[in-house]
Amino acid sequence: MAKKRDIVIAGYSETPVEFKSGRSAYDFGGEALAKLLRSTGIAKSQIDGMAVAAPLSESPNPFFPVYMAEALGLSPKWLNYSGTGGCSATGGIARAASAIRDGLCETVVVLCADAPSTAWRANYGAYRGEFQEPVGVQGPPASFGLLMSRYHHQYGIKPEALGKIAVTQREHALHNDNALAKFKKPLTMEDYFNSRVIADPLRLLDCVMFCDGANAFLVTSEKRARTLGLSKMVYPTAYAEITNLHGDSSCPDITETGFSVIAPLIYKQSGLSARDIRMFQPYDDFTIAVMMQFEDFGFCQRGQGSDFTLGTDLSRTGTLPLNTGGGQISAGQPGLASGGLNLAEAVRQMFGEGGGRQVKDARNALVTGIGVVPFARNWGTSAALILEA
Amino acid sequence: MVDQAAARPVPKVSVYVDTAPFWEAAKHGKLVLQFCKDTNQFQHYPRPVSIFTGSRNLEWREVSGKGVIYAYTVIRVPGLGLEGRLPLSVATVELDEGVRILGNIVDTDPDRVSIGQRVEVRWERLADDVRYPAFRIV
């Protein structure tokens, strides 16, 4: 199958990440849309499709995407609502591309907005009240503590490798105007080792902090983009996702993630391999997730994540620039708009708008998403997107 | 039996599928889990269908309550429902019947628990008539 280069991301926008902003997902979404219209110069009336991420802060409303369209004064002919958490942004790009190819719409805004540090309204329900929460597994840190323990048992974790991921990303966040103000100070390896253990062996500085914020992307055909007078664009040349890996097994190896299945798919679609990836903007809810992705995307062998991390220059001037805006760990995690944070940084870099953190020859990027922490496994959905110039 | 006088919430039963047999057996100190009769395999947490086949040909069967620690963490920071329980030992236990269950490890210093240790079920009392499965090192 020939590589598809018919659809483009022709614009992006991002709000600053804030903690307890007092604002709603609607308000952040509006800010992101207004910025997107301003930076692309297109009229709101030219948007005829919208893909929306389900936010924690408005989750009791099953009609959130319709309310959002109403709030923004949009009349989309195609409306998509994603419940895959941190995969909603990359997944939204892929779904928009399919819809455009099917002729359902021409110009889509992929919008991710959430404000859980202001209003946490999610209730996962299901089995959790009976079989998970009474054990004390209330949120992702306990689940990731369990995952890390198993990974360490099978392969060994060098904590200084996880510390290096935290320290490197923090350095990147210092150059990111949108990063949470609290994180705009340098981090040392000593700080990392001094940060308290919250769920062994997980430390505070291995984790993200829930914040508020939004991002938006303009997806259309290359032809349409040029008609609209847009000149900056990147091509999403490969996308794959998988939910509930080993869903028909009671005792899978939890160190094997969905990325091990989808990495070969995106490399095949794009014709690229790990050594061709110019920058890596992985979903980073926890440092261990970044390390496990180095392995599953073939940057190193399974179990070699610590040594690879320690032996590779992951800085913005290095051989594999990592989360060049600081990632969620150091820019702040805007709730379930989180997947768009890594994506916006990739597009920004490829548009040459990285400013003080610009990566040279930003010809492609690998962006990933992670959604939902399930019962006693790693994560629910894994998604990966390759962008090429 | 460990008495849990602290305000640990009592689970609401059968909120998403019928789990009454699990809780009824627990009252009598028996651990029962969902069993797929088509493939002779256990699954947990309880589901509306067999995760192996998609059929509803399921029943509840008692398991030995014996197994091995597959993954292990110690929760050290406060949270909802954790009052008076820190540091809290949490394990993914792989039961001998080939199924995993989350549970607390009781009766052992959290720092002396590790992956690979053998465990057996030990019931905690959350209310007069509600018991919850935990595990102890054997």
Side-chain angles (χ1 to χ4, degrees):
Chain A
M1 188 173 71
K3 192 189 317 197
K4 288 180 184 160
R5 287 179 64 92
D6 52 340
I7 304 294
V8 296
I9 299 176
Y12 73 99
S13 71
E14 196 177 36
T15 74
V17 179
E18 297 176 28
F19 183 64
K20 293 190 175 175
S21 63
R23 297 165 57 195
S24 70
Y26 295 107
D27 197 46
F28 278 103
E31 182 183 342
L33 177 72
K35 282 184 166 166
L36 184 71
L37 295 176
R38 195 166 64 235
S39 67
T40 57
I42 72 160
K44 183 169 70 65
S45 58
Q46 287 166 316
I47 294 169
D48 63 355
M50 182 160 74
V52 182
L56 294 160
S57 57
E58 303 293 336
S59 59
N61 177 5
F63 302 108
F64 174 71
V66 179
Y67 273 58
M68 182 60 97
E70 218 179 306
L72 302 178
L74 293 170
S75 304
K77 295 191 179 76
W78 175 81
L79 182 59
N80 180 263
Y81 191 38
S82 169
T84 56
C87 299
S88 299
T90 48
I93 302 292
R95 285 158 178 76
S98 296
I100 293 165
R101 287 186 183 119
D102 269 354
L104 301 177
C105 52
E106 280 190 307
T107 307
V108 176
V109 59
V110 175
L111 181 66
C112 306
D114 199 0
S117 73
T118 292
W120 177 283
R121 298 199 185 99
N123 179 358
Y124 297 175
Y127 61 88
R128 291 174 56 124
E130 287 177 87
F131 298 105
Q132 180 171 312
E133 285 154 15
V135 182
V137 181
Q138 309 291 352
S143 295
F144 269 81
L146 289 168
L147 175 59
M148 286 174 78
S149 78
R150 187 65 202 180
Y151 180 97
H152 182 62
H153 177 78
Q154 290 184 208
Y155 306 112
I157 293 174
K158 293 179 178 168
E160 61 271 29
L162 299 180
K164 181 180 175 181
I165 290 169
V167 169
T168 303
Q169 291 197 184
R170 178 62 64 89
E171 202 285 321
H172 291 165
L174 301 179
H175 305 273
N176 181 355
D177 292 340
N178 289 328
L180 185 70
K182 179 183 169 172
F183 292 152
K184 298 288 254 315
K185 58 177 192 216
L187 193 71
T188 64
M189 191 63 87
E190 194 182 354
D191 294 332
Y192 175 80
F193 277 103
N194 286 338
S195 77
R196 65 177 171 163
V197 173
I198 61 175
D200 303 39
L202 184 81
R203 293 172 186 280
L204 184 68
L205 288 175
D206 288 313
C207 310
V208 286
M209 188 170 101
F210 264 136
C211 298
D212 306 342
N215 42 73
F217 304 88
L218 189 73
V219 183
T220 188
S221 63
E222 180 188 347
K223 194 177 162 192
R224 173 82 175 149
R226 299 214 183 274
T227 305
L228 292 169
L230 298 166
S231 55
K232 287 188 175 178
M233 55 190 78
V234 297
Y235 299 81
T237 58
Y239 175 80
E241 68 178 43
I242 185 167
T243 293
N244 196 26
L245 178 74
H246 301 315
D248 59 355
S249 167
S250 279
C251 294
D253 177 354
I254 67 168
T255 68
E256 184 176 308
T257 80
F259 292 119
S260 65
V261 174
I262 65 174
L265 302 178
I266 58 155
Y267 287 145
K268 190 177 176 197
Q269 287 172 38
S270 64
L272 301 178
S273 63
R275 77 179 73 87
D276 301 317
I277 299 300
R278 181 65 189 102
M279 67 182 112
F280 191 31
Q281 311 282 0
Y283 195 89
D284 60 321
D285 46 355
F286 297 91
T287 54
I288 186 73
V290 173
M291 211 168 84
M292 291 171 76
Q293 289 178 79
F294 285 144
E295 300 176 3
D296 280 345
F297 281 103
F299 295 108
C300 60
Q301 296 289 310
R302 175 83 49 87
Q304 298 300 307
S306 288
D307 288 340
F308 174 81
T309 301
L310 291 170
T312 305
D313 185 349
L314 303 169
S315 74
R316 65 189 191 281
T317 55
T319 49
L320 185 66
L322 172 72
N323 280 333
T324 48
Q328 298 163 45
I329 287 174
S330 267
Q333 181 180 52
L336 299 185
S338 52
L341 187 127
N342 307 60
L343 177 60
E345 176 63 13
V347 178
R348 177 188 291 112
Q349 289 283 351
M350 293 181 67
F351 279 12
E353 297 174 355
R357 62 182 193 277
Q358 180 63 47
V359 172
K360 278 184 194 157
D361 185 24
R363 63 185 180 275
N364 67 46
L366 172 55
V367 185
T368 70
I370 285 176
V372 199
V373 179
F375 183 87
R377 301 206 174 194
N378 44 59
W379 45 81
T381 303
S382 305
L385 177 73
I386 287 180
L387 300 177
E388 292 184 75
Chain B
M1 182 98 46
V2 184
D3 235 348
Q4 295 273 323
R8 195 174 152 189
V10 171
K12 284 184 190 148
V13 174
S14 299
V15 240
Y16 72 107
V17 296
D18 178 15
T19 55
F22 178 94
W23 298 104
E24 191 55 37
K27 281 181 195 170
H28 306 290
K30 290 187 195 313
L31 183 61
V32 302
L33 299 180
Q34 262 185 339
F35 183 78
C36 168
K37 292 195 279 183
D38 296 326
T39 64
N40 294 318
Q41 295 177 83
F42 282 95
Q43 64 184 21
H44 186 74
Y45 61 92
R47 307 299 216 285
V49 296
S50 160
I51 61 171
F52 311 105
T53 67
S55 89
R56 286 166 73 89
N57 194 17
L58 297 167
E59 66 180 17
W60 294 86
R61 280 201 192 173
E62 187 174 1
V63 291
S64 63
K66 296 183 197 312
V68 63
I69 295 179
Y70 176 79
Y72 178 68
T73 190
V74 184
I75 299 173
R76 299 188 187 271
V77 293
L80 211 61
L82 299 178
E83 297 82 0
R85 301 173 73 194
L86 300 182
L88 180 63
S89 294
V90 173
T92 305
V93 172
E94 187 163 315
L95 297 172
D96 292 345
E97 289 82 1
V99 62
R100 293 186 191 145
I101 180 170
L102 288 173
N104 299 120
I105 304 295
V106 295
D107 301 345
T108 300
D109 181 331
D111 293 323
R112 299 181 69 86
V113 178
S114 59
I115 290 173
Q117 285 176 318
R118 294 282 305 167
V119 295
E120 67 181 10
V121 72
R122 176 151 160 74
W123 294 93
E124 292 185 291
R125 190 197 299 273
L126 302 192
D128 281 349
D129 60 344
V130 180
R131 294 176 192 184
Y132 201 86
F135 294 87
R136 62 181 285 276
I137 309 292
V138 292

